[in-house]
């Protein structure tokens, strides 16, 4: 490939890495008074990234390269991925970019105030403005009549509403009666953590042990603390996880570490020849999420895993876990209970929370739901799908930060992550026949290596669903996920699902 | 001022801040395998900073602004400072910049190897190359026949060899006999730390207490650990100190914290109206160093300071300091002993180490000393000025990293720091008549505020020596520094100096 084009690709990737560093630092070590200064530094970096991306010389070099003979398959993919990203960025007028940035900052503020007042109406004018700008942006990107597609493309390249809706609708229709059956059993776990205290240092050490066993390379990454756990970093050799430690409940730190480690393994796994190129990235947010969900749910909430780790956990907290046995513990870890808050929900009800959001977002972008009616529409769906009704907007429509800065189109990637995770895990189980036996001994490296070989090392060589087809023989499906729930929760709750 | 020019100034400052972040992170939290990736990210950032600085449009905007009516005094200074920086950068051809970067990387490697082999000859070819490039660079910058001036200007704008040499020579001629008199007394402190162990956490807590008392704002900055202590950060509200904790000796952490806090207070002290402009900077490395030296030596090695802190130190390390009294402690803290290594030397001998380096650098840039002769010239001067001879080159000419990447012209700024610190402290003592009494109570905020008012808040409004003239009524002089040594060490060693 042309050396100028390659050096521009590397420069763009370095700038993304530096944006990653400045963001990570903002959430971990930034002194409290430096918030506004950091926002300016980030805005300068993002401005430079934008300027380099829309540079007409890059456009020319990419279009020349896209028809040049002699490019390797990887080089062709690099050119195609960057070209697509560039074309999206070019289509949005600078004035709209500025208006959006301003509306986002205003939206975040209004959302925080609205949460305090527990009133959607306080946030509504800001959301109105964001929504109208997002519609404008979607139209600028271009679409075939379904605006949502244009935004979804930013998170899940290649996915379309026409493909997604039938799958998520069918899933919802399976889940609603399933939740009913499970809660109908009346089974509730013993509240074994209530009133106990779990030493924070011991929790931290336990999470580091987990990272080591999972095969997250702590010489090519690190773990720190932050209020909201996330995965960031600057490069495949510099991947940064954060976790959150809660003295009254060790599950928060344990499951956020496992979840973020799943993301982190993806980032660490890109083949070295992809580093500093547009291919050193996940092809979609959904596929990225599939890695965190697979480790968190398929592995980390499973029996084999805890057969090994529960004795170690008891050694770490001999006082707090006195009298608690593995069965008690697993019942807590896998309790199914319809709740108001998405981030606290279980494997079975989680996708119903997503259904609520996805359906409302679709209507909003189609101009088919007046903003005045959003809280009622939210509450009505929560009641219909989960059987619970938020007592106020803060526990309802105002709970997530996504809409606060106008992020529409992101939520379904969480469900895609759940579905992809189940499909990948099914195939992993077939190709690694002794996987459960390995997990029972705390051995997770062959699963990591399988994922690395099949998914991670390829980065953005193929779109997410095509990658899934290569690995599992099929694209998006809810069958594996539903089979996983049937088997696991049928046994746990003693019912046929 | 023109809004385009102002936004370019802010962008440059943001990029400098981000270079600061990436560098700080490299020395504190960067995973070990990410070194090469970080070097590339830094090089990308530095390349962008260079590109923006030499941009001809910036040159035009600056020259237009430099003659524009209606600019405030601060705005005029901003334009002048940035214009000077830009003109220097423009004068160095891109090919020379690349050749220097390569020679620096090669030089660092050769220096490390040479240190292992304890042989200057291993480093000599790399130094030869660096030296010839630095000569070329100095000629590109331009000078009046003294090449050293062109490099010195990069660290100490406005300073010249013709002004500096007489002062440093006279200082050396005073110091050599002074060291002789002090060591001639045969007085040696009791080795009170030998074989004791100082808990690292307790050391860390002690340094944080010091930072708080000194008035370093920990909401606009932080302290972390690194191998070599330094001060960095991204903004006046995000100043980052590092320290180094040695379990066998608490003085390392204590004095590096006090030293770096001095640098940090300067950075935190810039007036808010200077933030994100070229004036949010020290006018010279020497004036910056004067702040760290003043706190470390004038305050931190003084009697009043330890009258307050020694009891607290004893409370922190009751076991390790059993049987040690204030007099023992101060004797250790202020021991004068000619030694081989600059960074371990005391207040009296320190500037003789600088004299050795400054004199050799001058000869090298004048082409008046063949590289073959450098180790001998080093050793001869060490013997003549300090009465010690390095047993090998690693403890001699290879000890400092500066020449390893061709940094010539920096060393004298350390001596300038010492001289400026003494002059500032003399005036502070006159204008804050109860300063010693305050220090005896651990009260350091009025000194901090005095320095902030007189020095810090002005940033780069005036060149260093002009700032000194405004504050002390005179420019560069060794009189205050020598008076400080006479009084303090005369009393401590019981001799007339």
């Amino acid at each position: 490939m042309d050396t100028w084009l390659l050096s521009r690709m590397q420069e763009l990737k370095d700038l993304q890495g530096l944006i990653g560093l400045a963001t990570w630092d903002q959430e971990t070590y930034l002194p409290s008074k430096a918030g506004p200064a950091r926002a300016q530094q980030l805005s300068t970096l993002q401005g430079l990234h934008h300027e380099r991306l829309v540079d007409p010389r890059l456009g020319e070099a990419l279009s020349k390269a896209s028809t040049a003979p002699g490019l390797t398959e990887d080089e062709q993919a690099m050119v195609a991925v960057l070209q697509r990203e560039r074309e999206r960025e070019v289509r949005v007028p600078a004035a709209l970019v500025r208006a959006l940035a301003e509306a986002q900052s205003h939206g975040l503020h209004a959302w925080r105030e609205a949460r305090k007042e527990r009133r959607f109406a306080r946030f509504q004018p800001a959301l109105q403005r964001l929504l109208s700008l997002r519609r404008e942006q979607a139209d600028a990107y271009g679409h075939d009549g379904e605006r949502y597609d244009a935004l979804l493309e930013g998170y899940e390249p290649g996915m379309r509403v026409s493909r997604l809706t039938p799958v998520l609708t069918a899933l919802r229709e399976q889940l609603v009666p399933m939740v009913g059956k499970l809660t109908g059993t009346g089974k509730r776990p013993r509240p074994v953590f209530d009133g106990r205290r779990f030493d924070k240092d011991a929790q931290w050490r336990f999470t580091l042990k987990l990272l080591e066993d999972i095969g997250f390379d702590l010489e090519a990454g690190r773990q720190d603390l932050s209020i909201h756990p996330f995965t960031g970093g600057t490069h495949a050799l510099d991947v940064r996880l954060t976790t959150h430690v809660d003295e009254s409940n060790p599950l928060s730190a344990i499951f956020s570490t496992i979840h973020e480690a799943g993301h982190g393994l993806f980032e660490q796994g890109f083949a070295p020849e992809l580093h500093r190129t547009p291919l050193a990235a996940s092809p979609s947010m959904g596929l990225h999420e599939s890695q965190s969900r697979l480790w968190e749910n398929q592995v980390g909430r499973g029996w084999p895993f805890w057969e090994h780790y529960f004795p170690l956990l008891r050694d770490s907290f001999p006082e707090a876990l006195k009298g608690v046995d593995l069965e008690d513990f697993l019942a807590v870890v896998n309790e199914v209970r319809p709740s108001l808050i998405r981030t606290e929900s279980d494997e079975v009800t989680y996708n119903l929370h997503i259904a609520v959001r996805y359906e409302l977002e679709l209507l909003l972008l189609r101009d088919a739901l007046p903003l005045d009616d959003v809280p009622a529409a939210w509450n009505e769906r929560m009641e219909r799908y989960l059987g619970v009704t938020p007592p106020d907007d803060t526990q309802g429509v105002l709970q997530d930060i996504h809409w606060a800065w106008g992020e529409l189109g992101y939520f379904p990637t969480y469900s895609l992550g759940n579905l992809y995770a189940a499909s990948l895990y099914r195939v992993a189980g077939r190709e690694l026949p002794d996987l459960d036996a390995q997990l029972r001994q705390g051995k997770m490296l062959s699963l990591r290596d399988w994922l690395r070989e099949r998914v991670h090392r390829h980065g953005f060589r193929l779109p997410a669903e095509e990658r899934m087809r290569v690995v599992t023989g099929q694209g998006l499906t809810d069958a594996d996920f539903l089979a996983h729930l049937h088997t696991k929760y049928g046994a746990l709750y003693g019912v046929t699902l």
Side-chain angles (χ1 to χ4, degrees), chain A residues 79-286:
Chain A
V79 169
V81 165
L82 189 55
Q83 209 165 18
R84 215 160 42 223
E85 189 193 342
R86 184 175 178 281
E87 273 162 24
R88 274 176 74 79
E89 191 108 349
V90 166
R91 283 187 190 142
V92 185
L96 178 54
V97 172
R98 275 194 301 275
L100 255 170
E102 218 170 280
Q104 286 179 318
S105 155
H106 182 62
L108 268 169
H109 176 74
W111 174 72
R112 292 208 176 93
E113 293 300 311
R115 279 178 58 87
K116 278 188 219 155
E117 295 176 22
R118 309 188 160 268
R119 256 182 354 112
F120 176 76
R122 172 69 182 81
F123 173 52
Q124 190 173 325
L127 180 58
Q128 185 67 67
R129 171 82 180 139
L130 280 164
L131 191 57
S132 109
L133 292 170
R134 284 292 185 205
R135 286 191 192 121
E136 206 179 313
Q137 188 185 30
D139 293 342
Y141 287 144
H143 52 79
D144 302 333
E146 181 73 81
R147 266 198 202 109
Y148 199 88
D149 281 339
L151 299 184
L152 184 60
E153 177 72 14
Y155 309 114
E156 203 64 31
M159 185 50 66
R160 294 289 173 269
V161 167
S162 57
R163 168 132 190 78
L164 191 56
T165 299
V167 179
L168 295 190
T169 306
L171 176 64
R172 191 197 76 207
E173 286 167 355
Q174 292 283 318
L175 290 176
V176 171
M178 192 189 296
V179 172
K181 272 197 198 169
L182 292 170
T183 54
T185 63
K187 269 187 113 166
R188 293 292 306 272
R190 275 215 298 142
V192 291
F193 296 154
D194 285 14
R196 317 248 177 146
R197 206 194 126 272
F198 297 83
D199 179 68
K200 286 189 167 191
D201 289 339
Q203 288 195 49
W204 180 254
R205 285 192 300 273
F206 194 82
T207 63
L208 288 181
K209 163 83 174 135
L210 285 173
L211 287 179
E212 205 188 312
D213 292 353
I214 284 173
F216 179 80
D217 184 351
L218 283 161
E219 290 179 5
R222 38 183 301 116
Q223 180 176 262
D224 296 271
L225 294 170
S226 71
I227 294 172
H228 303 289
F230 67 96
T231 297
T234 77
H235 189 278
L237 295 170
D238 180 22
V239 178
R240 304 188 180 202
L241 319 178
T242 69
T243 192
H244 178 76
V245 178
D246 173 356
E247 210 166 37
S248 68
N249 187 338
L251 299 184
S252 167
I254 289 170
F255 285 105
S256 39
T257 288
I258 300 175
H259 180 100
E260 302 307 332
H263 284 303
L265 288 178
F266 201 158
E267 295 287 319
Q268 288 190 336
F270 303 138
E273 64 268 26
L274 307 188
H275 292 176
R276 294 181 93 212
T277 82
L279 299 189
S282 169
S284 83
M285 298 313 294

Side-chain angles (χ1 to χ4, degrees), chain A residues 414-426:
Chain A
Y414 293 122
S415 285
L416 288 170
N418 289 327
L419 304 187
Y420 286 157
S423 295
L424 288 169
Y425 200 70
R426 177 181 60 77

